[in-house]
Amino acid sequence: MTVGSPPYRPDGRAWLSAARKVGTSLSVVAITLFGLLVITFVVGRMVPADPVIAIIGDQADQAAYDRVYQELGLDRPLVVQFGTYVRDIATLDFGRSHLSRNEVATDLARVFPATVELATAALLIGTLLGVPLGVVAAVRRGTWIDQVARVVGLVGYSTPIFWLGMIVILIFYAGLGWIPAGNRVGLYYEGLVEGPTGFLVLDAVLAAEWDVAKSALGHLVAPALVLGWANTAYISRMSRSFMLEQLNQEYILTARAKGATNNSVIWRHAFANMRVQLLTVIALAYCGLLDGTVLIETVFGWPGLGQYLTTALFFADMNAVLGAVLLIGLISVGINLLCDVAYRLLDPRTK
Amino acid sequence: MTDASQNPGRRGLRAWLVEEDVTSHRQAVAQGAYRGLVGLTSSPIAVIGLVIVILLVLAAAFAPWIATHDPYRQDLSRTLLPPSAANWMGTDDLGRDVWSRLVYGSRTTLYITMLVTVIVAPIGFLIGAVSGYVGGWLDTVLMRLTDIFLAFPSLVLALAFSAALGPGIGNAVLAIALTIWPPVARLARAETLTVRGSDYLASARLQGAGLGRVLWWHLVPICLPSIIVRLTLNMASVILTAAGLGFLGLGAQPPIAEWGAMAAAGRQYLIDAWWLTTFPGLAILLVSLAFNLLGDGLRDVLDPRSG
């Protein structure tokens, strides 16, 4: 792309070509989804805990055992069992959690918004801190800012996030009393605001319940900052290397030769050209956040998908575990697909 | 390294390592390693990483001499004591010495990372190199398989496998290995593709080299540097994932000293006994940082292309 050329806009042919490629990626996604199902199915079958005993307890007699064994379809061939499994998943039937006694799908729908709220807040923090840090580090390559960015990146990559969470609780809850303990909102405010988005802070603001919003925000800040820390590291590192790559291109030299100011070169030219890559990285960071939420929700008592997963794990509630794992896998695949599509549409070089 | 026919002793080892007229394969290999070492030590960051990793290995090897107490010995009359001259990092809820358990914990950490690496390196290389070299439908199948494993966030996948296999150190290693191999395979494939059409591979084939020979003699040397860098950087994430599994109770089982599990055990005494959580976590941070620093430095030395 040369300086002064009009910004790229996808035309009809680009859409067609993109659509064809999306078709290909969709078939890839279908295969990947199938693979996900195979993995969760196999994991479910490998479990040492007997699913029948998990349901009826170890005091039941042989007849009851056999009956449940057949009800679960465990006497049928594995292939048939897998077929049943796929059919159940396709109709959003993840089975019943024997811990909560609910349908796993219902449970997942209940806990999921909390995780999305937390992960989104963390992503915002990571992006708002990481992108400028990375860009500045690239522009001032070799200076102290670059060194700071490098150290932040490496330490951020190396921090055990569950430990950082505990240290934050130790200092800011126990020591300073700045942050509240556990859950999404103070005890008094619980259940005051319901829906429509499931993001408590947003819902409370929409309902003009300012006290609830304040309390919810207070609960959100600490876990989001801890999660955002690791994220900042990743995003700033990637931003730095994208920016460096752009700054080494000849068009930058041309722009400078034409007398463009430093700011204009960095933001209007170089940054404009790394936006697509950056978008991909941020989307992938979101997938990585799902990993982090499992640990952080457990540490902070945040009632989301991660805590649901670890609690289910603790009580060997396999339907719930597999449902949660599958959901996380599906989200990752979905995000990857969206990235792919966005990349194809926004980057003219992939035409 | 001394070779009678080369007789490096007479001219000095260093001269032998830097001279331009290389006369043997052995000398060429030695020179390559020497240049790498010089390059690595010229980066202060990598040296810090290397020193910490060496300290970790030493701590693991000489744990009985470095630890001040028996890491498993309980003393219920001395529980939850703060750091002091007798117990440098305090005692835990069973009266065990935290410093000693931390020292022994280095063995667990090293054991897990080494084992994962030993499992993952050959498998990842084999899948990636075969995929790239053979191509065709095999490539498609293997790469789809890789994508499927990549689709899961790694901790969640490791968690699912650990849950299925049951808690324990061996199963944690397997679970982590299952999540770590895909990037290695991707890398080996990419490296293989760069040389796939090259003349020297064609000439090897014409001389009758089979798949095994090509893989071992021609593709291993091509892929090795970037795989080493990748694996070193991976060790940091292996340590973090292992600690995360330990934290969730899926890794090493008590009474084995494992840093993640130690930090987790301190959680219920977090406010009264800060040392229980703080020190194991710092150890994890330090070691994982060391591997990241070392990997960063190694990349500059071994893999200049990816700058």
Side-chain angles (χ1 to χ4, degrees):
Chain A
M1 194 181 278
T2 53
V3 178
S5 72
Y8 171 75
R9 295 265 178 277
D11 59 8
R13 285 218 337 259
W15 282 100
L16 194 71
S17 133
R20 196 175 302 130
K21 280 169 183 156
V22 168
T24 322
S25 1
L26 274 179
S27 64
V28 170
V29 167
I31 296 170
T32 312
L33 286 182
F34 184 76
L36 289 188
L37 290 173
V38 172
I39 289 180
T40 45
F41 177 76
V42 170
V43 165
R45 288 297 168 273
M46 283 194 313
V47 184
D50 187 330
V52 179
I53 290 184
I55 292 172
I56 59 174
D58 51 5
Q59 302 295 318
D61 58 22
Q62 188 62 35
Y65 184 93
D66 290 342
R67 190 166 47 78
V68 175
Y69 189 81
Q70 279 183 7
E71 271 173 24
L72 289 175
L74 293 173
D75 54 334
R76 282 177 286 172
L78 273 182
V79 179
V80 177
Q81 288 187 38
F82 181 66
T84 319
Y85 177 69
V86 172
R87 196 194 61 211
D88 288 348
I89 298 295
T91 54
L92 291 184
D93 178 5
F94 294 90
R96 200 171 274 279
S97 152
H98 49 254
L99 192 61
S100 70
R101 307 260 164 216
N102 290 328
E103 291 285 335
V104 171
T106 318
D107 278 349
L108 290 178
R110 180 172 49 81
V111 296
F112 189 51
T115 295
V116 177
E117 184 180 41
L118 178 59
T120 309
L123 190 72
L124 270 176
I125 293 170
T127 311
L128 291 180
L129 293 177
V131 173
L133 187 62
V135 167
V136 171
V139 173
R140 308 222 179 282
R141 190 181 186 179
T143 63
W144 66 269
I145 295 182
D146 192 16
Q147 295 301 330
V148 167
R150 187 170 187 181
V151 171
V152 165
L154 285 171
V155 174
Y157 267 147
S158 315
T159 313
I161 194 163
F162 60 89
W163 171 77
L164 187 63
M166 288 196 278
I167 296 298
V168 164
I169 290 176
L170 187 62
I171 296 175
F172 295 99
Y173 167 72
L176 300 169
W178 288 2
I179 58 168
N183 223 333
R184 290 176 81 183
V185 70
L187 209 55
Y188 301 123
Y189 302 117
E190 214 161 323
L192 275 185
V193 178
E194 297 272 335
T197 61
F199 306 153
L200 204 47
V201 177
L202 197 62
D203 284 342
V205 169
L206 287 178
E209 293 276 0
W210 303 112
D211 289 346
V212 182
K214 203 174 145 211
S215 168
L217 194 63
H219 283 77
L220 178 63
V221 166
L225 275 176
V226 173
L227 258 182
W229 161 249
N231 219 357
T232 305
Y234 175 64
I235 292 178
S236 78
R237 211 171 144 127
M238 297 311 279
S239 308
R240 178 180 180 273
S241 82
F242 293 154
M243 194 46 141
L244 277 182
E245 192 185 315
Q246 293 301 333
L247 290 178
N248 285 331
Q249 306 270 330
E250 286 182 352
Y251 75 89
I252 293 292
L253 197 66
T254 315
R256 286 194 200 281
K258 288 170 90 174
T261 61
N262 204 23
N263 264 333
S264 153
V265 167
I266 293 163
W267 295 106
R268 279 204 45 216
H269 297 285
F271 190 74
N273 279 323
M274 61 178 259
R275 276 180 312 195
V276 178
Q277 286 171 303
L278 201 58
L279 193 73
T280 317
V281 160
I282 290 172
L284 292 178
Y286 204 78
C287 294
L289 279 176
L290 294 172
D291 247 1
T293 53
V294 173
L295 294 169
I296 282 304
E297 286 182 6
T298 310
V299 171
F300 281 92
W302 186 263
L305 189 57
Q307 203 192 27
Y308 181 72
L309 176 60
T310 49
T311 313
L313 210 59
F314 192 72
F315 291 99
D317 187 359
M318 274 326 269
N319 279 343
V321 171
L322 293 179
V325 169
L326 193 62
L327 180 61
I328 292 174
L330 288 177
I331 297 163
S332 296
V333 174
I335 289 177
N336 275 306
L337 176 71
L338 280 180
C339 267
D340 219 30
V341 173
Y343 204 94
R344 296 224 156 102
L345 274 180
L346 296 174
D347 192 334
R349 282 168 302 188
T350 56
K351 253 200 294 199
Chain B
M1 204 177 292
T2 48
D3 183 342
S5 65
Q6 308 296 323
N7 199 2
R10 201 172 51 198
R11 284 172 318 221
L13 183 63
R14 203 164 163 278
W16 184 72
L17 283 169
V18 295
E19 76 182 349
E20 286 186 10
D21 295 325
V22 180
T23 50
S24 70
H25 175 67
R26 184 180 301 185
Q27 189 178 7
V29 170
Q31 286 199 352
Y34 179 71
R35 274 196 301 275
L37 197 66
V38 170
L40 194 62
T41 48
S42 67
S43 150
I45 284 189
V47 171
I48 296 174
L50 189 63
V51 167
I52 298 175
V53 171
I54 290 173
L55 286 179
L56 173 77
V57 174
L58 290 179
F62 300 108
W65 290 276
I66 297 171
T68 49
H69 295 68
D70 178 347
Y72 300 113
R73 180 138 166 249
Q74 304 181 3
D75 182 353
L76 295 179
S77 66
R78 296 173 47 78
T79 59
L80 300 178
L81 292 177
S84 65
N87 302 94
W88 299 348
M89 292 184 175
T91 61
D92 69 4
D93 52 329
L94 296 173
R96 296 172 297 193
D97 181 53
V98 173
W99 162 251
S100 303
R101 287 183 65 73
L102 212 59
V103 170
Y104 274 85
S106 66
R107 290 187 165 181
T108 317
T109 301
L110 211 59
Y111 174 78
I112 293 178
T113 40
M114 290 302 132
L115 211 55
V116 168
T117 307
V118 167
I119 295 173
V120 160
I123 292 179
F125 165 75
L126 213 60
I127 291 181
V130 167
S131 182
Y133 181 68
V134 176
W137 63 268
L138 191 65
D139 184 29
T140 315
V141 169
L142 288 177
M143 282 304 109
R144 278 297 85 75
L145 194 69
T146 317
D147 285 343
I148 291 167
F149 279 87
L150 273 178
F152 275 109
S154 59
L155 179 71
V156 172
L157 187 60
L159 214 124
F161 281 122
S162 305
L165 297 165
I169 224 174
N171 289 341
V173 165
L174 259 184
I176 297 171
L178 274 169
T179 64
I180 296 279
W181 70 267
V184 179
R186 277 271 181 91
L187 199 66
R189 177 174 178 269
E191 294 283 349
T192 304
L193 283 181
T194 59
V195 296
R196 189 180 172 208
S198 67
D199 291 340
Y200 80 90
L201 277 188
S203 99
R205 265 197 306 275
L206 283 174
Q207 291 176 46
L211 179 62
R213 194 176 175 83
V214 168
L215 281 180
W216 180 249
W217 289 107
H218 299 294
L219 293 179
V220 166
I222 294 293
C223 299
L224 204 57
S226 50
I227 288 186
I228 289 178
V229 171
R230 179 82 244 171
L231 284 176
T232 312
L233 290 170
N234 260 351
M235 281 185 198
S237 66
V238 169
I239 289 170
L240 291 183
T241 309
L245 288 179
F247 174 72
L248 295 174
L250 289 169
Q253 295 302 297
I256 296 174
E258 196 269 332
W259 295 342
M262 286 169 70
R267 198 177 155 210
Q268 42 182 324
Y269 308 102
L270 186 60
I271 290 160
D272 306 314
W274 56 269
W275 53 92
L276 285 188
T277 300
T278 308
F279 292 124
L282 276 178
I284 300 168
L285 171 61
L286 196 67
V287 171
S288 121
L289 183 63
F291 277 113
N292 270 329
L293 295 175
L294 184 62
D296 237 34
L298 273 178
R299 174 163 50 197
D300 295 341
V301 176
L302 290 177
D303 198 13
R305 272 164 296 173
S306 62

